[in-house]
Amino acid sequence: YLAYMVFGRKYEPDLVILNFLADNDVANNSQKLESGPSKPFFEIRDGELVLTHRPSKDAKGRLMSFITDYLVLPRFLYLKFETAKARFEQASRGSAGGESDAGLNVRDGVYHQDYDQTWQEAWDITIALIRKLAEQVMADGAKFIVVSFPVARQTVPEVRQEFSEANTKRGIPVDMDKPEELLRQSLQESDIRLVSLPQIFTSHPRLREFYLEDDWHFSAAGHEFVATYLTEYLQENNLLP
C-alpha cells in the first residue's frame, strides 16, 4: 500500500497486480512476527489502519536501512536473527503462563489450524491493507487484482504430507488450504478479483516440472506457465488497456 502511494501512483497505471505469497506476506505485516528498523508497520485501532512504526531517519537508522535493504548477505543474516528472536519471544510468552504460541514458527504458523491472537491480528492487518490498496487504486481510475502465488507445501503432495506429519508429531494440527481460503473469502466480501494459482498448480499434470528439484522455487517451466496463464487471463477478462 505504501509503495503504491509513494511510487506507484506516479506512473498512473491502468492495472495494478498485487502478488500474494502466504508463506511470507501475512507474517511480514505484523510487527510482532517480523520487526526491523527499515520497515513500517500498521495496527488496526477502532477499525482503522494506523501507521505505528516508521523507519528511523537518524544516521544509525539510515545506515541500517541501507544494509538490510541493499546488501544481500547482511539482510539474510539480519532476517535470520529477527526470526530466531521472534521465536524465542513467543516461547517465552508461553512459558510465562500467557497464551502459548511457542509452536507457531514465524513462517509455518500461517498454515496452522488454530491461530492465536498474534496470527489473527496479522491476518486482519493484511486484509485491511489489501482492501485499502484496492480502494485507492480504483479511486485513481485503475483496475486491481490479487494473484496468489503457490509454494510447494501448498501444492506438491509429498511436501504437503511431510509438513503435515512433522507438525502432527509436535501436536500442532495444520490446514494447508486455510490461507488460500481465508484470502478468497476476504476478497470476495470486498468484491476484489483473485487469481488463485495454488488451486491451478495443484491439479496440473506438469506440477513437478514447475519447481526446481530440492529447492521448490519456480523453475523456468514454472515461470513460463505463470506468465502465459496470467497473460491469457488478463486478455480474456479485458483487464489490459
Side-chain angles (χ1 to χ4, degrees), residues 35-222:
S35 61
S38 64
K39 287 191 62 173
F41 288 98
F42 287 84
E43 291 180 5
I44 297 179
R45 297 177 181 175
D46 298 325
E48 299 292 332
L49 276 171
V50 178
L51 185 61
T52 58
H53 178 268
R54 295 176 181 270
S56 174
K57 297 298 183 181
D58 60 21
K60 181 180 178 181
R62 289 195 299 271
L63 175 60
M64 183 60 73
S65 295
F66 176 82
I67 291 174
T68 59
D69 290 347
Y70 296 104
L71 302 181
V72 176
L73 180 58
R75 176 174 175 78
F76 172 79
L77 295 175
Y78 174 79
L79 292 177
K80 287 294 185 182
F81 168 77
E82 289 294 330
T83 298
K85 184 175 72 172
R87 290 178 178 176
F88 175 78
E89 290 173 350
Q90 288 177 346
S92 298
R93 289 198 300 271
S95 64
E99 182 179 359
S100 178
D101 54 6
L104 296 183
N105 293 335
V106 171
R107 300 301 181 203
D108 297 350
V110 73
Y111 297 104
H112 290 182
Q113 198 172 82
D114 300 310
Y115 290 156
D116 66 0
Q117 183 177 354
T118 297
W119 273 100
Q120 188 57 56
E121 288 176 352
W123 263 108
D124 292 343
I125 293 168
T126 298
I127 296 301
L129 284 168
I130 295 175
R131 287 172 174 164
K132 193 169 184 66
L133 173 59
E135 290 172 2
Q136 186 61 62
V137 168
M138 289 185 281
D140 291 341
K143 298 173 183 178
F144 179 78
I145 67 171
V146 176
V147 179
S148 60
F149 274 73
V151 294
R153 70 177 77 186
Q154 290 176 299
T155 58
V156 180
E158 61 266 31
V159 181
R160 283 174 63 107
Q161 182 177 355
E162 181 182 359
F163 181 83
S164 179
E165 290 177 352
N167 280 274
T168 298
K169 290 179 181 178
R170 297 162 59 199
I172 304 172
V174 296
D175 182 349
M176 305 307 296
D177 300 316
K178 183 175 182 176
E180 195 68 14
E181 182 61 21
L182 280 174
L183 182 67
R184 185 193 65 78
Q185 290 178 358
S186 299
L187 299 189
Q188 189 175 54
E189 291 171 0
S190 300
D191 198 26
I192 297 174
R193 190 188 296 260
L194 170 67
V195 179
S196 177
L197 291 179
Q199 293 181 353
I200 296 164
F201 266 51
T202 299
S203 59
H204 201 283
R206 295 177 55 206
L207 172 63
R208 284 167 180 77
E209 296 179 31
F210 295 158
Y211 293 100
L212 295 172
E213 187 175 357
D214 299 325
D215 179 271
W216 301 120
H217 284 84
F218 282 172
S219 64

